[in-house]
């Protein structure tokens, strides 16, 4: 299910709950609203606000990580909030939390355990993929097209085999093939071998990948990590920008 980012939460006193003013104790709700609106304009003077009023959210707000995406939950009003939270200095606290979550995930990933696809000197992408996933096959077609343009990537591949019933057998076939990269490209291009190869090493690798994806919370495919940033799904525009980014090159020899 795709949920559009429809709410931007501006945090002045981050996630502090403000109780309703009791009658005769402190400022009225109207006065509190006027004070809050004034503070909003002062703290975020570069933004123009057309409307200001009560929020449907009540009580404290808690932060959660769902598959690498930071979201917020207000249990008192039952609201699930897909949002970007900024502090009064303009720092995107949601993005910082997501970056921290990705760094924790990266610490669990051993590149030596990956199936490596692509040239060693190309930009590296960590890819959680599924041979039965149509979006993964579309992504592979995109990578191949970019390689033909002279923009290859080096994929560190881990298989997610818990979504489609035929994924584990196809992934094991790739891992047991004499030329794993060739078998990978063939299956993702739609090949249907009469017999799928099996082997103890391939079976063990499928189990290890399953344990890894469960541990780091990958629940959909494709899931990518590029430049220490998690990308959920086949986000072509974001991948185009990644490939078009200038790369460091070795200095010419004297």
């Amino acid at each position: 299910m795709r949920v559009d980012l429809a709410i931007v939460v501006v945090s002045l006193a981050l996630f502090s709950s403000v109780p309703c003013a009791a009658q005769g104790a402190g400022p009225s709700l109207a006065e509190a609203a006027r004070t809050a609106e004034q503070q909003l304009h002062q703290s975020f003077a570069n933004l123009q606000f057309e409307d200001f009023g009560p929020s449907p959210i009540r009580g404290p707000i808690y932060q959660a990580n769902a598959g690498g995406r930071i979201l917020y939950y207000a249990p008192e009003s039952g609201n699930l909030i897909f949002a970007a939270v900024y502090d009064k200095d303009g720092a995107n606290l949601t993005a910082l939390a997501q970056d921290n979550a990705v760094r924790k995930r990266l610490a669990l990933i051993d590149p030596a355990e990956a199936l490596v696809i692509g040239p060693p000197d190309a930009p590296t992408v960590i890819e959680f993929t599924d041979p039965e996933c149509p979006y993964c096959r579309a992504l592979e077609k995109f990578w191949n097209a970019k390689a033909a343009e002279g923009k290859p990537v080096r994929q560190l591949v881990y298989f997610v085999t818990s979504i489609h019933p035929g994924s584990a057998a196809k992934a094991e076939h790739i891992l047991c093939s004499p030329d794993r990269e060739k078998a990978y490209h063939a299956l993702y291009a739609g090949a249907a071998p009469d017999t799928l190869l099996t082997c103890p090493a391939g079976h063990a690798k499928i189990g290890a990948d399953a344990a890894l994806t469960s541990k780091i919370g990958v629940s959909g495919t494709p899931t990518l990590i590029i430049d220490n940033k998690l990308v959920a799904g086949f986000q072509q525009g974001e991948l185009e920008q990644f490939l078009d980014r200038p790369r460091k090159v070795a200095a010419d020899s004297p």
Side-chain angles (χ1 to χ4, degrees), residues 193-215:
D194 293 333
T195 302
L196 294 176
L197 300 177
T198 62
C199 62
H203 185 76
K205 177 66 166 62
I206 295 302
D209 283 4
L212 175 63
T213 56
S214 176
K215 187 181 297 184

Side-chain angles (χ1 to χ4, degrees), residues 22 28 35 44 51 92 108 114 116 119 139 167 181 186 209 221 245:
S28 68
T35 299
F44 297 89
D51 297 300
N92 188 330
L108 298 173
V116 180
L139 174 61
S167 299
E181 185 165 350
D209 283 4
T221 53
R245 205 169 299 156

Side-chain angles (χ1 to χ4, degrees), residues 120-154:
D121 57 345
T124 297
V125 173
I126 297 174
E127 183 171 337
F128 294 88
T129 185
D130 175 350
E132 292 278 86
C133 165
Y135 297 104
C136 299
R137 292 195 292 268
L139 174 61
E140 183 61 21
K141 185 176 180 180
F142 170 79
W143 291 141
N144 292 337
K146 289 300 169 182
E149 295 175 11
K151 299 178 182 179
V153 293
R154 177 174 175 261

Side-chain angles (χ1 to χ4, degrees), residues 18-31:
V18 181
C20 295
Q23 186 174 1
S28 68
L29 291 178
E31 291 171 341

Side-chain angles (χ1 to χ4, degrees), residues 227-240:
D227 286 346
N228 295 330
K229 179 182 178 182
L230 188 141
V231 178
F234 176 18
Q235 306 294 338
Q236 183 169 339
E238 195 163 350
L239 300 182
E240 294 272 10

Side-chain angles (χ1 to χ4, degrees), residues 239-253:
L239 300 182
E240 294 272 10
Q241 293 178 7
F242 166 71
L243 292 173
D244 290 340
R245 205 169 299 156
R247 306 286 170 184
K248 292 181 180 180
V249 296
D252 293 335
S253 301

Side-chain angles (χ1 to χ4, degrees), residues 93-104:
L93 302 180
T94 302
L96 291 174
Q98 290 185 162
D99 289 345
N100 288 334
V102 171
R103 279 194 288 272
K104 290 179 180 179

Side-chain angles (χ1 to χ4, degrees), residues 8-89:
V8 175
V9 176
V10 178
S11 173
L12 299 178
L14 186 61
F15 300 148
S16 61
S17 109
V18 181
C20 295
Q23 186 174 1
S28 68
L29 291 178
E31 291 171 341
R34 283 194 294 271
T35 299
E37 184 174 11
Q38 184 180 22
Q39 186 178 1
L40 174 65
H41 286 285
Q42 289 174 348
S43 298
F44 297 89
N46 60 321
L47 298 176
Q48 297 295 320
F49 301 96
E50 297 177 1
D51 297 300
F52 187 88
S55 164
I57 301 166
R58 299 189 307 273
I61 301 174
Y62 298 92
Q63 179 175 291
N65 186 336
R69 183 173 188 178
I70 301 299
L71 50 84
Y72 305 95
Y73 178 58
E76 185 175 322
S77 53
N79 296 114
L80 188 63
I81 307 158
F82 294 82
V85 176
Y86 293 84
D87 68 11
K88 60 185 177 60
D89 298 317

